[in-house]
Amino acid sequence: MSAHAGPTKRLTLGDIAAKKDAGEPIVMVTAYDFPSAQIVEAAGVDLVLVGDSAAMVVLGYDSTVPVTTDEMLVLTAAVRRGLTRPLLIGDLPFGSYEASDEIAIATAQRFVKEAGVDLVKIERGGTTVDRARAIVNAGIPVVGHVGLTPQTATALGGYRAQGRTAEAAQAVIDDALALQAAGVSMLVVEAVPSEVTEALMPLIDIPVIGIGAGADADGQVLVFHDLLGIHAGATAKFVKRYADLRTAAIDGVRSYADEVRDRVYPAPEHTYRMPDAEAARLHSGS
């Protein structure tokens, strides 16, 4: 049983920093609704990200780009109601923070006020560094995100690993260090060769959470639907499936459908009955 399986107080950013300092791996997972939040809470994870990956795995969009701030707020608030111990991170969706510092701050404030997040996450370096700094200066902790950034995957050549050349790797590292200098509290590094993470780690002081970035990061994150085998179709190279819930769910629904069609369900044990005297009165019309 996990040491974190029992109820305890909510973690703090100081607790996460202490894990990094102690070399204790940090566990992050995504969640998108109240039941999944309860599951990851019971499993004892440290960080929960309501990622804009919800656009694809929950809402059925073809990419993360179409999801709106209002949609993300509904999902994030539902997750908040299912969590006690882990820190909650809300992903600011595409188009909700890039245009100006003022817009970025206003969106981040909505996630804190309406969904109860502990931190917000934004993607990329470049001008995003300025947005990160503005949000931090407004008193809201920020998680940066470098490497493969799904909101701009088209510009990066699709959903593919980044930093494969020395120059591209250095650009990822530079973005990471610029975000740290802007005051972000932690960093997600996605889909880069392990050598990039190895080169980054001695240079950075904040916790680094990897996803397809090798084993040298301070922690790891996977999408709930990927690690549990809920999401249909191909997955990225870095995904490991720890269960096959989609098959189990299909089998369960198919068994239910078969029993309904065969008039096996509902059986007597699933049926409410009136007291015999009351049933007799009903049938007698009295």
Side-chain angles (χ1 to χ4, degrees), residues 5-73:
T8 186
K9 68 179 183 64
R10 184 180 301 179
L11 291 173
T12 67
L13 284 172
D15 294 326
I16 301 302
K19 286 178 179 290
K20 175 183 175 70
D21 292 342
E24 180 182 344
I26 301 163
V27 181
M28 179 192 288
V29 70
T30 66
Y32 308 106
D33 57 18
F34 182 73
S36 61
Q38 289 184 307
I39 289 169
V40 300
E41 167 83 31
V45 306
D46 303 310
L47 304 169
V48 176
L49 168 65
V50 186
D52 60 3
S53 47
M56 302 169 73
V57 300
V58 174
L59 300 178
Y61 293 119
D62 291 334
S63 73
T64 64
V65 171
V67 71
T68 67
T69 297
D70 286 343
E71 288 171 324
M72 288 298 300
L73 285 169

Short mmCIF file of all heavy atoms in Angstrom, two decimals, residues 5-73:
data_model
loop_
_atom_site.label_atom_id
_atom_site.label_comp_id
_atom_site.label_asym_id
_atom_site.label_seq_id
_atom_site.Cartn_x
_atom_site.Cartn_y
_atom_site.Cartn_z
N ALA A 5 -1.68 6.60 0.94
CA ALA A 5 -3.04 6.11 0.69
C ALA A 5 -4.06 6.67 1.67
O ALA A 5 -5.22 6.80 1.36
CB ALA A 5 -3.05 4.58 0.76
N GLY A 6 -3.64 7.02 2.87
CA GLY A 6 -4.57 7.51 3.87
C GLY A 6 -4.82 9.00 3.72
O GLY A 6 -4.12 9.71 3.03
N PRO A 7 -5.86 9.49 4.39
CA PRO A 7 -6.17 10.91 4.32
C PRO A 7 -5.08 11.73 4.99
O PRO A 7 -4.51 11.33 5.99
CB PRO A 7 -7.50 11.01 5.06
CG PRO A 7 -7.53 9.83 5.97
CD PRO A 7 -6.81 8.75 5.23
N THR A 8 -4.80 12.88 4.43
CA THR A 8 -3.79 13.76 5.00
C THR A 8 -4.02 15.16 4.48
O THR A 8 -4.93 15.41 3.69
CB THR A 8 -2.37 13.26 4.64
OG1 THR A 8 -1.41 14.06 5.32
CG2 THR A 8 -2.12 13.32 3.14
N LYS A 9 -3.20 16.11 4.91
CA LYS A 9 -3.38 17.50 4.51
C LYS A 9 -2.98 17.71 3.06
O LYS A 9 -2.23 16.92 2.48
CB LYS A 9 -2.53 18.39 5.41
CG LYS A 9 -1.03 18.23 5.23
CD LYS A 9 -0.27 19.17 6.13
CE LYS A 9 1.23 19.06 5.90
NZ LYS A 9 1.64 19.48 4.55
N ARG A 10 -3.47 18.81 2.49
CA ARG A 10 -3.12 19.13 1.11
C ARG A 10 -1.65 19.48 1.02
O ARG A 10 -1.09 20.17 1.87
CB ARG A 10 -3.97 20.31 0.62
CG ARG A 10 -3.73 20.64 -0.86
CD ARG A 10 -4.58 21.81 -1.32
NE ARG A 10 -5.99 21.53 -1.15
CZ ARG A 10 -6.96 22.39 -1.46
NH1 ARG A 10 -6.65 23.60 -1.91
NH2 ARG A 10 -8.21 22.06 -1.30
N LEU A 11 -1.01 19.00 -0.03
CA LEU A 11 0.38 19.32 -0.27
C LEU A 11 0.54 20.79 -0.60
O LEU A 11 -0.40 21.47 -1.03
CB LEU A 11 0.91 18.47 -1.43
CG LEU A 11 1.06 16.98 -1.17
CD1 LEU A 11 1.44 16.25 -2.45
CD2 LEU A 11 2.10 16.72 -0.09
N THR A 12 1.75 21.29 -0.43
CA THR A 12 2.09 22.67 -0.77
C THR A 12 3.22 22.67 -1.79
O THR A 12 3.89 21.64 -2.02
CB THR A 12 2.54 23.45 0.47
OG1 THR A 12 3.80 22.89 0.93
CG2 THR A 12 1.51 23.36 1.59
N LEU A 13 3.49 23.84 -2.37
CA LEU A 13 4.62 23.96 -3.28
C LEU A 13 5.92 23.67 -2.54
O LEU A 13 6.86 23.11 -3.12
CB LEU A 13 4.66 25.35 -3.89
CG LEU A 13 3.64 25.61 -4.99
CD1 LEU A 13 3.64 27.08 -5.39
CD2 LEU A 13 3.93 24.74 -6.20
N GLY A 14 5.97 24.03 -1.26
CA GLY A 14 7.15 23.71 -0.46
C GLY A 14 7.37 22.21 -0.34
O GLY A 14 8.51 21.73 -0.36
N ASP A 15 6.28 21.46 -0.21
CA ASP A 15 6.39 20.00 -0.14
C ASP A 15 6.95 19.43 -1.44
O ASP A 15 7.77 18.50 -1.43
CB ASP A 15 5.02 19.37 0.12
CG ASP A 15 4.46 19.72 1.48
OD1 ASP A 15 5.25 19.86 2.43
OD2 ASP A 15 3.22 19.84 1.60
N ILE A 16 6.51 19.98 -2.57
CA ILE A 16 6.99 19.49 -3.87
C ILE A 16 8.46 19.84 -4.05
O ILE A 16 9.26 19.02 -4.52
CB ILE A 16 6.14 20.09 -5.01
CG1 ILE A 16 4.66 19.70 -4.84
CG2 ILE A 16 6.66 19.61 -6.36
CD1 ILE A 16 4.39 18.22 -4.80
N ALA A 17 8.85 21.05 -3.66
CA ALA A 17 10.25 21.44 -3.74
C ALA A 17 11.11 20.55 -2.84
O ALA A 17 12.24 20.17 -3.22
CB ALA A 17 10.41 22.91 -3.34
N ALA A 18 10.58 20.19 -1.68
CA ALA A 18 11.32 19.32 -0.76
C ALA A 18 11.52 17.93 -1.37
O ALA A 18 12.56 17.30 -1.15
CB ALA A 18 10.59 19.22 0.57
N LYS A 19 10.53 17.45 -2.11
CA LYS A 19 10.68 16.16 -2.78
C LYS A 19 11.83 16.22 -3.78
O LYS A 19 12.64 15.28 -3.90
CB LYS A 19 9.38 15.77 -3.48
CG LYS A 19 8.26 15.31 -2.55
CD LYS A 19 6.99 15.00 -3.34
CE LYS A 19 5.87 14.52 -2.43
NZ LYS A 19 6.16 13.17 -1.88
N LYS A 20 11.89 17.31 -4.54
CA LYS A 20 13.01 17.46 -5.49
C LYS A 20 14.34 17.45 -4.75
O LYS A 20 15.27 16.73 -5.15
CB LYS A 20 12.86 18.76 -6.27
CG LYS A 20 14.05 19.06 -7.19
CD LYS A 20 13.89 20.40 -7.89
CE LYS A 20 15.13 20.74 -8.71
NZ LYS A 20 15.29 19.88 -9.91
N ASP A 21 14.42 18.24 -3.69
CA ASP A 21 15.68 18.34 -2.95
C ASP A 21 16.11 17.00 -2.36
O ASP A 21 17.30 16.70 -2.27
CB ASP A 21 15.54 19.37 -1.82
CG ASP A 21 15.39 20.79 -2.34
OD1 ASP A 21 15.72 21.03 -3.52
OD2 ASP A 21 14.91 21.65 -1.57
N ALA A 22 15.11 16.18 -1.97
CA ALA A 22 15.41 14.88 -1.38
C ALA A 22 15.59 13.79 -2.42
O ALA A 22 15.90 12.64 -2.06
CB ALA A 22 14.28 14.49 -0.42
N GLY A 23 15.38 14.13 -3.68
CA GLY A 23 15.49 13.12 -4.73
C GLY A 23 14.33 12.15 -4.74
O GLY A 23 14.45 11.04 -5.28
N GLU A 24 13.19 12.56 -4.16
CA GLU A 24 12.00 11.70 -4.12
C GLU A 24 11.16 11.95 -5.37
O GLU A 24 10.73 13.09 -5.60
CB GLU A 24 11.18 12.01 -2.88
CG GLU A 24 9.92 11.15 -2.76
CD GLU A 24 9.09 11.51 -1.55
OE1 GLU A 24 9.61 12.19 -0.64
OE2 GLU A 24 7.91 11.10 -1.51
N PRO A 25 10.91 10.95 -6.19
CA PRO A 25 10.17 11.16 -7.43
C PRO A 25 8.78 11.74 -7.18
O PRO A 25 8.09 11.37 -6.22
CB PRO A 25 10.08 9.76 -8.05
CG PRO A 25 11.27 9.04 -7.50
CD PRO A 25 11.42 9.56 -6.10
N ILE A 26 8.38 12.66 -8.04
CA ILE A 26 7.10 13.35 -7.94
C ILE A 26 6.13 12.74 -8.95
O ILE A 26 6.48 12.56 -10.12
CB ILE A 26 7.29 14.86 -8.23
CG1 ILE A 26 8.29 15.46 -7.23
CG2 ILE A 26 5.95 15.59 -8.18
CD1 ILE A 26 8.85 16.80 -7.67
N VAL A 27 4.92 12.43 -8.51
CA VAL A 27 3.93 11.77 -9.36
C VAL A 27 2.83 12.75 -9.75
O VAL A 27 2.13 13.28 -8.88
CB VAL A 27 3.31 10.55 -8.66
CG1 VAL A 27 2.30 9.87 -9.59
CG2 VAL A 27 4.40 9.57 -8.23
N MET A 28 2.69 12.97 -11.06
CA MET A 28 1.60 13.79 -11.58
C MET A 28 0.77 12.94 -12.53
O MET A 28 1.31 12.08 -13.24
CB MET A 28 2.14 15.02 -12.33
CG MET A 28 1.05 15.93 -12.92
SD MET A 28 1.67 17.17 -14.11
CE MET A 28 2.51 18.31 -13.01
N VAL A 29 -0.54 13.17 -12.53
CA VAL A 29 -1.42 12.50 -13.49
C VAL A 29 -2.51 13.50 -13.85
O VAL A 29 -2.80 14.43 -13.09
CB VAL A 29 -2.01 11.20 -12.90
CG1 VAL A 29 -3.02 11.48 -11.81
CG2 VAL A 29 -2.63 10.33 -13.98
N THR A 30 -3.09 13.33 -15.03
CA THR A 30 -4.21 14.18 -15.40
C THR A 30 -5.51 13.60 -14.84
O THR A 30 -5.61 12.41 -14.56
CB THR A 30 -4.35 14.31 -16.93
OG1 THR A 30 -4.71 13.04 -17.48
CG2 THR A 30 -3.07 14.82 -17.56
N ALA A 31 -6.48 14.46 -14.70
CA ALA A 31 -7.85 14.05 -14.36
C ALA A 31 -8.78 15.10 -14.95
O ALA A 31 -8.39 16.25 -15.13
CB ALA A 31 -8.05 13.95 -12.85
N TYR A 32 -10.02 14.69 -15.24
CA TYR A 32 -10.90 15.59 -15.98
C TYR A 32 -12.31 15.68 -15.42
O TYR A 32 -13.14 16.41 -15.96
CB TYR A 32 -10.99 15.16 -17.45
CG TYR A 32 -9.65 14.98 -18.11
CD1 TYR A 32 -9.15 13.71 -18.37
CD2 TYR A 32 -8.88 16.09 -18.46
CE1 TYR A 32 -7.91 13.55 -18.97
CE2 TYR A 32 -7.64 15.93 -19.05
CZ TYR A 32 -7.16 14.66 -19.31
OH TYR A 32 -5.93 14.51 -19.90
N ASP A 33 -12.59 14.94 -14.35
CA ASP A 33 -13.93 14.98 -13.77
C ASP A 33 -13.86 14.52 -12.32
O ASP A 33 -12.79 14.15 -11.82
CB ASP A 33 -14.93 14.15 -14.59
CG ASP A 33 -14.52 12.70 -14.75
OD1 ASP A 33 -13.66 12.21 -13.97
OD2 ASP A 33 -15.06 12.02 -15.63
N PHE A 34 -15.00 14.54 -11.65
CA PHE A 34 -15.05 14.18 -10.23
C PHE A 34 -14.64 12.73 -9.98
O PHE A 34 -13.82 12.47 -9.09
CB PHE A 34 -16.46 14.47 -9.70
CG PHE A 34 -16.63 14.19 -8.24
CD1 PHE A 34 -16.08 15.01 -7.28
CD2 PHE A 34 -17.39 13.10 -7.82
CE1 PHE A 34 -16.25 14.76 -5.92
CE2 PHE A 34 -17.57 12.84 -6.47
CZ PHE A 34 -17.00 13.67 -5.52
N PRO A 35 -15.17 11.74 -10.74
CA PRO A 35 -14.76 10.35 -10.46
C PRO A 35 -13.27 10.11 -10.68
O PRO A 35 -12.63 9.42 -9.88
CB PRO A 35 -15.62 9.53 -11.44
CG PRO A 35 -16.79 10.40 -11.77
CD PRO A 35 -16.25 11.80 -11.74
N SER A 36 -12.70 10.66 -11.76
CA SER A 36 -11.27 10.44 -11.97
C SER A 36 -10.44 11.13 -10.90
O SER A 36 -9.39 10.63 -10.49
CB SER A 36 -10.85 10.90 -13.37
OG SER A 36 -11.08 12.28 -13.57
N ALA A 37 -10.91 12.28 -10.41
CA ALA A 37 -10.21 12.95 -9.31
C ALA A 37 -10.21 12.08 -8.06
O ALA A 37 -9.19 11.97 -7.36
CB ALA A 37 -10.87 14.30 -9.03
N GLN A 38 -11.34 11.46 -7.76
CA GLN A 38 -11.41 10.59 -6.58
C GLN A 38 -10.46 9.40 -6.73
O GLN A 38 -9.83 8.97 -5.75
CB GLN A 38 -12.83 10.09 -6.39
CG GLN A 38 -13.82 11.16 -5.92
CD GLN A 38 -15.19 10.58 -5.67
OE1 GLN A 38 -15.77 9.92 -6.53
NE2 GLN A 38 -15.72 10.82 -4.48
N ILE A 39 -10.33 8.89 -7.95
CA ILE A 39 -9.44 7.74 -8.19
C ILE A 39 -7.98 8.14 -7.97
O ILE A 39 -7.23 7.43 -7.27
CB ILE A 39 -9.66 7.18 -9.61
CG1 ILE A 39 -11.02 6.48 -9.69
CG2 ILE A 39 -8.53 6.20 -9.99
CD1 ILE A 39 -11.44 6.12 -11.10
N VAL A 40 -7.55 9.24 -8.56
CA VAL A 40 -6.15 9.62 -8.42
C VAL A 40 -5.84 10.07 -6.98
O VAL A 40 -4.73 9.87 -6.49
CB VAL A 40 -5.74 10.69 -9.45
CG1 VAL A 40 -5.94 10.16 -10.87
CG2 VAL A 40 -6.48 12.00 -9.26
N GLU A 41 -6.83 10.65 -6.32
CA GLU A 41 -6.68 10.98 -4.90
C GLU A 41 -6.42 9.71 -4.09
O GLU A 41 -5.49 9.64 -3.28
CB GLU A 41 -7.94 11.68 -4.40
CG GLU A 41 -8.06 11.80 -2.89
CD GLU A 41 -7.32 12.99 -2.32
OE1 GLU A 41 -7.20 14.01 -3.01
OE2 GLU A 41 -6.87 12.88 -1.16
N ALA A 42 -7.24 8.69 -4.31
CA ALA A 42 -7.10 7.44 -3.56
C ALA A 42 -5.78 6.75 -3.88
O ALA A 42 -5.24 6.02 -3.03
CB ALA A 42 -8.28 6.52 -3.87
N ALA A 43 -5.26 6.96 -5.09
CA ALA A 43 -4.00 6.33 -5.49
C ALA A 43 -2.78 7.04 -4.91
O ALA A 43 -1.67 6.52 -4.99
CB ALA A 43 -3.89 6.30 -7.01
N GLY A 44 -2.97 8.23 -4.31
CA GLY A 44 -1.87 8.90 -3.62
C GLY A 44 -0.93 9.70 -4.50
O GLY A 44 0.24 9.84 -4.16
N VAL A 45 -1.41 10.24 -5.64
CA VAL A 45 -0.53 11.05 -6.48
C VAL A 45 -0.25 12.39 -5.82
O VAL A 45 -0.96 12.81 -4.90
CB VAL A 45 -1.13 11.25 -7.90
CG1 VAL A 45 -1.48 9.91 -8.53
CG2 VAL A 45 -2.35 12.16 -7.87
N ASP A 46 0.77 13.08 -6.31
CA ASP A 46 1.17 14.36 -5.72
C ASP A 46 0.56 15.56 -6.42
O ASP A 46 0.19 16.54 -5.76
CB ASP A 46 2.70 14.49 -5.77
CG ASP A 46 3.41 13.34 -5.09
OD1 ASP A 46 3.04 13.02 -3.94
OD2 ASP A 46 4.31 12.74 -5.71
N LEU A 47 0.48 15.51 -7.73
CA LEU A 47 0.01 16.63 -8.54
C LEU A 47 -1.05 16.14 -9.50
O LEU A 47 -0.90 15.05 -10.10
CB LEU A 47 1.16 17.25 -9.34
CG LEU A 47 2.39 17.73 -8.57
CD1 LEU A 47 3.51 18.06 -9.53
CD2 LEU A 47 2.04 18.95 -7.72
N VAL A 48 -2.10 16.91 -9.68
CA VAL A 48 -3.14 16.58 -10.65
C VAL A 48 -3.26 17.73 -11.64
O VAL A 48 -3.46 18.88 -11.24
CB VAL A 48 -4.50 16.33 -9.96
CG1 VAL A 48 -5.59 16.08 -11.00
CG2 VAL A 48 -4.39 15.13 -9.02
N LEU A 49 -3.13 17.40 -12.90
CA LEU A 49 -3.25 18.39 -13.97
C LEU A 49 -4.55 18.17 -14.72
O LEU A 49 -4.80 17.08 -15.23
CB LEU A 49 -2.08 18.25 -14.94
CG LEU A 49 -2.20 19.02 -16.27
CD1 LEU A 49 -2.21 20.53 -16.02
CD2 LEU A 49 -1.08 18.62 -17.22
N VAL A 50 -5.38 19.21 -14.78
CA VAL A 50 -6.53 19.19 -15.68
C VAL A 50 -6.02 19.76 -16.99
O VAL A 50 -6.03 20.97 -17.23
CB VAL A 50 -7.72 19.99 -15.13
CG1 VAL A 50 -8.94 19.80 -16.05
CG2 VAL A 50 -8.06 19.55 -13.72
N GLY A 51 -5.49 18.86 -17.82
CA GLY A 51 -4.83 19.30 -19.04
C GLY A 51 -5.82 19.61 -20.15
O GLY A 51 -6.95 19.10 -20.17
N ASP A 52 -5.37 20.45 -21.10
CA ASP A 52 -6.22 20.70 -22.25
C ASP A 52 -6.30 19.48 -23.16
O ASP A 52 -7.06 19.47 -24.13
CB ASP A 52 -5.78 21.95 -23.01
CG ASP A 52 -4.36 21.86 -23.55
OD1 ASP A 52 -3.71 20.82 -23.39
OD2 ASP A 52 -3.90 22.87 -24.12
N SER A 53 -5.58 18.42 -22.80
CA SER A 53 -5.78 17.12 -23.45
C SER A 53 -7.21 16.64 -23.28
O SER A 53 -7.69 15.78 -24.04
CB SER A 53 -4.81 16.08 -22.89
OG SER A 53 -4.79 16.12 -21.46
N ALA A 54 -7.93 17.22 -22.32
CA ALA A 54 -9.36 16.94 -22.17
C ALA A 54 -10.11 17.20 -23.46
O ALA A 54 -11.13 16.56 -23.74
CB ALA A 54 -9.95 17.80 -21.06
N ALA A 55 -9.62 18.14 -24.26
CA ALA A 55 -10.26 18.44 -25.53
C ALA A 55 -10.41 17.20 -26.38
O ALA A 55 -11.45 16.98 -27.03
CB ALA A 55 -9.45 19.50 -26.29
N MET A 56 -9.39 16.34 -26.35
CA MET A 56 -9.37 15.15 -27.21
C MET A 56 -9.94 13.92 -26.49
O MET A 56 -10.76 13.21 -27.05
CB MET A 56 -7.94 14.90 -27.68
CG MET A 56 -7.34 16.08 -28.44
SD MET A 56 -5.56 15.94 -28.74
CE MET A 56 -5.55 14.68 -30.02
N VAL A 57 -9.51 13.69 -25.25
CA VAL A 57 -9.88 12.43 -24.59
C VAL A 57 -11.24 12.46 -23.92
O VAL A 57 -11.81 11.41 -23.63
CB VAL A 57 -8.80 11.98 -23.58
CG1 VAL A 57 -7.46 11.78 -24.28
CG2 VAL A 57 -8.65 12.97 -22.44
N VAL A 58 -11.77 13.67 -23.66
CA VAL A 58 -13.07 13.79 -23.00
C VAL A 58 -14.12 14.42 -23.92
O VAL A 58 -15.25 13.95 -24.00
CB VAL A 58 -12.96 14.60 -21.70
CG1 VAL A 58 -14.32 14.85 -21.09
CG2 VAL A 58 -12.06 13.88 -20.70
N LEU A 59 -13.73 15.50 -24.60
CA LEU A 59 -14.70 16.26 -25.37
C LEU A 59 -14.75 15.90 -26.86
O LEU A 59 -15.63 16.37 -27.57
CB LEU A 59 -14.41 17.77 -25.22
CG LEU A 59 -14.48 18.29 -23.78
CD1 LEU A 59 -14.13 19.77 -23.73
CD2 LEU A 59 -15.87 18.05 -23.17
N GLY A 60 -13.81 15.09 -27.33
CA GLY A 60 -13.90 14.56 -28.68
C GLY A 60 -13.39 15.46 -29.78
O GLY A 60 -13.63 15.20 -30.97
N TYR A 61 -12.67 16.53 -29.44
CA TYR A 61 -12.06 17.37 -30.47
C TYR A 61 -10.88 16.65 -31.11
O TYR A 61 -10.31 15.72 -30.54
CB TYR A 61 -11.58 18.69 -29.87
CG TYR A 61 -12.68 19.60 -29.37
CD1 TYR A 61 -12.74 19.98 -28.02
CD2 TYR A 61 -13.64 20.12 -30.23
CE1 TYR A 61 -13.73 20.85 -27.56
CE2 TYR A 61 -14.64 20.98 -29.78
CZ TYR A 61 -14.67 21.33 -28.44
OH TYR A 61 -15.65 22.19 -27.98
N ASP A 62 -10.48 17.13 -32.29
CA ASP A 62 -9.35 16.53 -33.00
C ASP A 62 -8.00 16.99 -32.45
O ASP A 62 -6.98 16.36 -32.74
CB ASP A 62 -9.43 16.86 -34.49
CG ASP A 62 -10.60 16.16 -35.18
OD1 ASP A 62 -11.02 15.10 -34.68
OD2 ASP A 62 -11.08 16.67 -36.21
N SER A 63 -7.97 18.08 -31.72
CA SER A 63 -6.74 18.58 -31.13
C SER A 63 -7.10 19.33 -29.85
O SER A 63 -8.28 19.45 -29.49
CB SER A 63 -6.00 19.52 -32.10
OG SER A 63 -6.68 20.77 -32.19
N THR A 64 -6.09 19.88 -29.20
CA THR A 64 -6.35 20.65 -27.98
C THR A 64 -6.79 22.07 -28.28
O THR A 64 -7.30 22.77 -27.39
CB THR A 64 -5.09 20.72 -27.10
OG1 THR A 64 -4.06 21.42 -27.80
CG2 THR A 64 -4.60 19.32 -26.74
N VAL A 65 -6.63 22.51 -29.52
CA VAL A 65 -6.85 23.93 -29.85
C VAL A 65 -8.29 24.40 -29.63
O VAL A 65 -8.52 25.49 -29.10
CB VAL A 65 -6.39 24.21 -31.29
CG1 VAL A 65 -6.82 25.60 -31.75
CG2 VAL A 65 -4.87 24.06 -31.40
N PRO A 66 -9.34 23.63 -30.01
CA PRO A 66 -10.70 24.18 -29.93
C PRO A 66 -11.26 24.36 -28.52
O PRO A 66 -12.22 25.12 -28.35
CB PRO A 66 -11.54 23.16 -30.70
CG PRO A 66 -10.59 22.35 -31.50
CD PRO A 66 -9.34 22.33 -30.69
N VAL A 67 -10.72 23.70 -27.52
CA VAL A 67 -11.35 23.74 -26.19
C VAL A 67 -11.35 25.16 -25.65
O VAL A 67 -10.39 25.92 -25.83
CB VAL A 67 -10.65 22.76 -25.22
CG1 VAL A 67 -9.26 23.25 -24.81
CG2 VAL A 67 -11.51 22.53 -23.99
N THR A 68 -12.46 25.54 -25.02
CA THR A 68 -12.62 26.92 -24.54
C THR A 68 -12.28 27.03 -23.06
O THR A 68 -12.23 26.03 -22.33
CB THR A 68 -14.07 27.39 -24.75
OG1 THR A 68 -14.93 26.63 -23.89
CG2 THR A 68 -14.50 27.23 -26.20
N THR A 69 -12.10 28.26 -22.63
CA THR A 69 -11.86 28.52 -21.22
C THR A 69 -13.04 28.04 -20.38
O THR A 69 -12.85 27.41 -19.32
CB THR A 69 -11.62 30.01 -20.98
OG1 THR A 69 -10.43 30.41 -21.68
CG2 THR A 69 -11.46 30.33 -19.50
N ASP A 70 -14.26 28.31 -20.82
CA ASP A 70 -15.43 27.89 -20.05
C ASP A 70 -15.51 26.38 -19.93
O ASP A 70 -15.86 25.85 -18.86
CB ASP A 70 -16.71 28.43 -20.70
CG ASP A 70 -16.90 29.92 -20.48
OD1 ASP A 70 -16.24 30.48 -19.58
OD2 ASP A 70 -17.69 30.53 -21.21
N GLU A 71 -15.18 25.66 -21.00
CA GLU A 71 -15.18 24.20 -20.93
C GLU A 71 -14.14 23.71 -19.95
O GLU A 71 -14.40 22.81 -19.12
CB GLU A 71 -14.94 23.60 -22.32
CG GLU A 71 -16.11 23.74 -23.26
CD GLU A 71 -15.78 23.35 -24.68
OE1 GLU A 71 -14.64 23.61 -25.14
OE2 GLU A 71 -16.67 22.79 -25.36
N MET A 72 -12.95 24.29 -20.00
CA MET A 72 -11.89 23.88 -19.08
C MET A 72 -12.24 24.20 -17.64
O MET A 72 -11.91 23.44 -16.72
CB MET A 72 -10.57 24.56 -19.47
CG MET A 72 -9.93 24.02 -20.74
SD MET A 72 -9.47 22.27 -20.62
CE MET A 72 -8.31 22.31 -19.25
N LEU A 73 -12.92 25.31 -17.41
CA LEU A 73 -13.30 25.67 -16.04
C LEU A 73 -14.31 24.68 -15.46
O LEU A 73 -14.22 24.34 -14.28
CB LEU A 73 -13.87 27.09 -16.01
CG LEU A 73 -12.83 28.22 -16.14
CD1 LEU A 73 -13.53 29.55 -16.38
CD2 LEU A 73 -11.95 28.29 -14.90
#
